[in-house]
Amino acid sequence: MTEPVDLVNPFQGTDSHFDLSRGNTYPAVAMPWGMNFWSPQTSDSRWMYDHRSPRLQGIRCTHSPSPWMGDYGQFTVMPVTGDPSPGPEARSSYHRHADTTCGPHRFRTRLMRYDIGIEVVPTMRGACFRFSFPADAEAAVMILPAGDHARVEIVREAGRVLLVVKANSGGVPDNFAHHVIAEFDAPVISSSMIRGDQVGNGTTAEGRVGAILRFGRVSRPVHLRIATSFIDARQAALTFAREVSGRGIDELESEARSAWNGLLGRVRLDGADERQRATFYSCLYRCLLFPRVMHEPDEMGALRHYSPYDGKVHPGEMVTDNGFWDTFRTVYPLLSVLYPDHLRGILAGWMNAYREGGWFPKWASPGYRNVMIGTHSDAVFADAAVKGIGGFDLDEAYAGLIKNATVPGDPEGHWGRKGLAHYLEKGWVAAEQVEGACARTQEFAYGDFCVAQVAALVGATDAATMLRDRSGNWRHCWDPEAGFMRGRDADGSWTKPWSEFRWGGEYVEGGPWQWSWAVPHDAAGLIAAHGGDQTFVERLDLMLATPPRFEIGTYPYEIHEMTEMAAADFGQYAHSNQPVHHVLYLYPHAGRPDRLQYWARRICAELYGPGPDGFPGDEDNGEMSAWYVMSSLGFFPLCPGHPSYVLGSPLFPRAELRIPGAERPLVIEAVGQRADAPYIQSANLDGLPYDRCWIPHDLFTRGGTLSFVMGTTPSAWGSRPQDRPFSFSATQRSH
């Protein structure tokens, strides 16, 4: 029987480059949420792996959450024969995809130039390699740190290389370092230092340096065991002893395989075809990579971590590599359903980030980075709070969230809400003062709703009322004459120049068509602003029917998100990027769940797949994948921070979700399921009629059977005003 891990294709989304993203992913061989990922490398650029490239430069230990963010603590391992050439292109070797096996738990291929078989299996903070060299060749392995500030020491008698890698792309204190122990199980007959692209003598060096270890002619496979630490060399030694010392690669592969099957197996699909199953489990795998852990167990097993916020070592959890602007929409709500046990540890890690840095991060990699807008830790903690997830001090979390909402942060945007001062004074962000002002205003208003949810739960009644009132500030951006959200200057006038197709300026990675729906917390208000249900539905339909035209606006050139919207050809619905990912799920609020059912089914079928071109745009830390996972199962969190899900169109005849804490699985059935039958005719929950097109979190996650009857024509199911989720009331909480 095929197990879930065997259905995962880590190459999904890897046919990407600067101008066109089909995911901007790389094949991450890793434990779930592992501290290190291991990836085949075809380039030493930020795009480390391109599926079209025929040559490998080695296996890279990477922490890159995205090519746009860069890497840190990275180094590359490359086996060779003969006289080694350390330069990336000089050492590279052709490999065939037909000879390559890649899963989350292993990577195997053959380097044709050298006739070397190479395998790697991950552990949580290390890895084990196996190299099969030709018997008649001189065998060697290169270890190549990145950047200009590494330190390397070769201990030949122990077959060991000790590395300290300082390479990073930002977001770290000055004392940041990645400490590495790499140990071979074959006698080393000679060694050399790599300085730049040159080979020289010595056993210790600093700078742009690496190591070559030579084994002569070997008749058996050579194993390399690696362990790493962000704390110090002593901690790396502890990890080496705990995770890899004396352990075989097959044993470690079995352990990694079991870990992945345990988590992927929380969803079982029945009746899905091969392509659907491969797409689903490949996407689910990507939902379980980020945010990665950064904590490490000490001698007694107690967790501690190097803090990328203050440069000190602290007790407890730490996680990193996460863009909240991306992941709050889908990843965290998915974790709250299927992996609440792991979500608690992630939230504890973010609490430590707040304690050590003074603010919740907006984009962590590994510390504060100035990327994207808003403070969407607001949504992540509000969503967990109203769902009763736990694992963190709610009062302390509220202190950090209310700080987001009321205290101006870093003027450069690393933390806090850039443009908050004018927002607090006028109710909108002034467009001539801060870029992306319209988008920021909408994001701040939604953030206010989320913080109000938490304020109510901790008894801060006055603050909850104030923030709930502020959550209506999106109305300052609504231009009823244009029918779009627009930016305002400080004096209240609409920003010019403006057109409905113009990107940038007061918008972020989009334009008016993409940003005019960003009111997930007040669907009723947004519908009313449009003039009611019929007008709103017509406007959504027009978005999907309007050709994907765009003007580059304030961008210097056609950015890849523009290209991808045009390539997807779903009108102005730019599924290639996050701002529209909730938009289809607004249809039921206006009484047309059938329109959602039609379009969600098409997006799943036409814009996702299991191959290298498997995504319509950037797969940001699991966000794009989690959209598919939930939409294909038939539910979606329109408004994270409210404990509910809109019901869509389940793609599979039957799915069984094993939810931690539930007495029984949640079974989602789609009777009469087929490709041309996306429409729900009726539904029942545990045998009783269920007419609402939404479901509360507590009812959804207690287990049971949610059964839909599907058909080829739209029905009136879920369209009555009393059946639809017309508006959200603040402070609701699941129990």
Side-chain angles (χ1 to χ4, degrees), residues 194-211:
I194 299 171
R195 293 178 173 84
D197 290 341
Q198 303 300 313
V199 177
N201 297 323
T203 58
T204 304
E206 295 186 13
R208 186 167 169 245
V209 294

Side-chain angles (χ1 to χ4, degrees), residues 157-170:
E157 62 274 16
R160 184 179 301 157
V161 177
L162 306 176
L163 299 174
V164 179
V165 185
K166 300 282 286 183
N168 69 84
S169 298

Side-chain angles (χ1 to χ4, degrees), residues 494-513:
W494 297 117
T495 301
K496 296 179 180 179
W498 181 87
S499 87
E500 64 188 88
F501 302 113
R502 191 173 191 267
W503 283 40
E506 61 264 47
Y507 310 101
V508 175
E509 295 184 358
W513 274 111

Side-chain angles (χ1 to χ4, degrees), residues 9-306:
N9 181 12
F11 295 117
Q12 182 190 34
T14 59
D15 185 7
S16 301
H17 49 87
F18 179 87
D19 292 324
L20 182 67
S21 172
R22 293 302 188 193
N24 262 335
T25 62
Y26 54 87
V29 180
M31 296 293 280
W33 301 289
M35 195 172 84
N36 302 315
F37 297 170
W38 305 86
S39 175
Q41 175 180 310
T42 61
S43 170
D44 62 349
S45 71
R46 291 186 174 211
W47 278 260
M48 74 181 79
Y49 182 83
D50 184 340
H51 197 68
R52 296 166 299 168
S53 177
R55 292 193 296 273
L56 289 186
Q57 299 174 354
I59 304 297
R60 181 167 173 171
C61 176
T62 178
H63 307 94
S64 172
S66 160
W68 309 111
M69 301 302 295
D71 210 341
Y72 60 92
Q74 69 269 33
F75 60 93
T76 303
V77 176
M78 180 65 172
V80 295
T81 57
D83 188 19
S85 299
E89 291 299 325
R91 69 176 186 260
S92 66
S93 170
Y94 175 70
H95 77 298
R96 291 190 297 227
H97 291 302
D99 295 334
T100 300
T101 302
C102 186
H105 59 303
R106 64 171 180 208
F107 176 82
R108 301 173 186 166
T109 196
R110 179 162 293 277
L111 304 178
M112 303 297 288
R113 170 181 172 182
Y114 303 110
D115 192 24
I116 297 173
I118 181 171
E119 304 170 69
V120 61
V121 169
T123 69
M124 202 67 183
R125 300 167 185 85
C128 185
F129 288 76
R130 179 160 58 196
F131 308 115
S132 299
F133 293 98
D136 59 349
E138 297 291 324
V141 175
M142 293 187 285
I143 299 178
L144 304 120
D148 296 328
H149 303 288
R151 183 182 185 279
V152 61
E153 178 183 353
I154 301 172
V155 186
R156 277 181 48 186
E157 62 274 16
R160 184 179 301 157
V161 177
L162 306 176
L163 299 174
V164 179
V165 185
K166 300 282 286 183
N168 69 84
S169 298
V172 297
D174 290 340
N175 67 345
F176 165 83
H178 195 207
H179 304 270
V180 182
I181 295 177
E183 189 170 289
F184 295 89
D185 69 348
V188 178
I189 63 170
S190 67
S191 64
S192 301
M193 302 302 300
I194 299 171
R195 293 178 173 84
D197 290 341
Q198 303 300 313
V199 177
N201 297 323
T203 58
T204 304
E206 295 186 13
R208 186 167 169 245
V209 294
I212 300 174
L213 281 75
R214 299 181 181 85
F215 308 98
R217 298 184 180 185
V218 293
S219 58
R220 63 174 180 83
V222 174
H223 294 83
L224 168 62
R225 294 174 176 85
I226 295 178
T228 77
S229 171
F230 288 111
I231 296 174
D232 55 29
R234 183 172 177 273
Q235 178 65 48
L238 287 174
T239 298
F240 191 94
R242 179 180 289 114
E243 293 193 7
V244 297
S245 181
R247 306 186 68 190
I249 191 170
D250 297 328
E251 174 193 357
L252 294 173
E253 180 179 335
S254 177
E255 189 173 284
R257 180 183 184 88
S258 177
W260 278 108
N261 275 329
L263 294 172
L264 296 171
R266 292 193 183 180
V267 180
R268 174 182 171 182
L269 304 180
D270 294 321
D273 62 35
E274 183 178 351
R275 183 178 186 275
Q276 289 172 337
R277 293 202 305 156
T279 303
F280 182 88
Y281 286 108
S282 297
C283 284
L284 188 55
Y285 142 81
R286 294 219 165 262
C287 299
L288 306 180
L289 293 173
F290 299 102
R292 78 173 75 248
V293 304
M294 207 174 175
H295 48 255
E296 309 171 47
D298 65 13
E299 297 95 327
M300 304 303 295
L303 297 180
R304 58 180 184 151
H305 62 271
Y306 167 84

Side-chain angles (χ1 to χ4, degrees), residues 286-422:
R286 294 219 165 262
C287 299
L288 306 180
L289 293 173
F290 299 102
R292 78 173 75 248
V293 304
M294 207 174 175
H295 48 255
E296 309 171 47
D298 65 13
E299 297 95 327
M300 304 303 295
L303 297 180
R304 58 180 184 151
H305 62 271
Y306 167 84
S307 173
Y309 301 96
D310 66 6
K312 300 176 182 178
V313 177
H314 298 271
E317 295 95 333
M318 177 56 62
V319 293
T320 191
D321 292 329
N322 176 86
F324 283 99
W325 186 82
D326 306 292
T327 55
F328 87 86
R329 307 165 195 269
T330 59
V331 175
Y332 286 94
L334 176 64
L335 296 179
S336 77
V337 173
L338 286 173
Y339 307 99
D341 44 345
H342 292 273
L343 177 57
R344 293 184 189 101
I346 291 170
L347 295 172
W350 293 130
M351 287 301 303
N352 281 329
Y354 164 64
R355 294 183 186 110
E356 294 154 21
W359 294 81
F360 285 115
K362 292 162 60 177
W363 229 116
S365 182
Y368 295 121
R369 302 287 292 274
N370 176 19
V371 183
M372 303 315 295
I373 61 175
T375 51
H376 295 299
S377 54
D378 305 335
V380 168
F381 278 93
D383 200 53
V386 298
K387 293 174 179 176
I389 298 297
F392 61 96
D393 184 304
L394 188 60
D395 289 294
E396 187 179 13
Y398 172 68
L401 301 181
I402 194 67
K403 186 175 183 180
N404 283 343
T406 59
V407 179
D410 173 36
E412 299 301 317
H414 290 80
W415 54 80
R417 301 182 184 180
K418 187 176 180 180
L420 180 64
H422 192 269

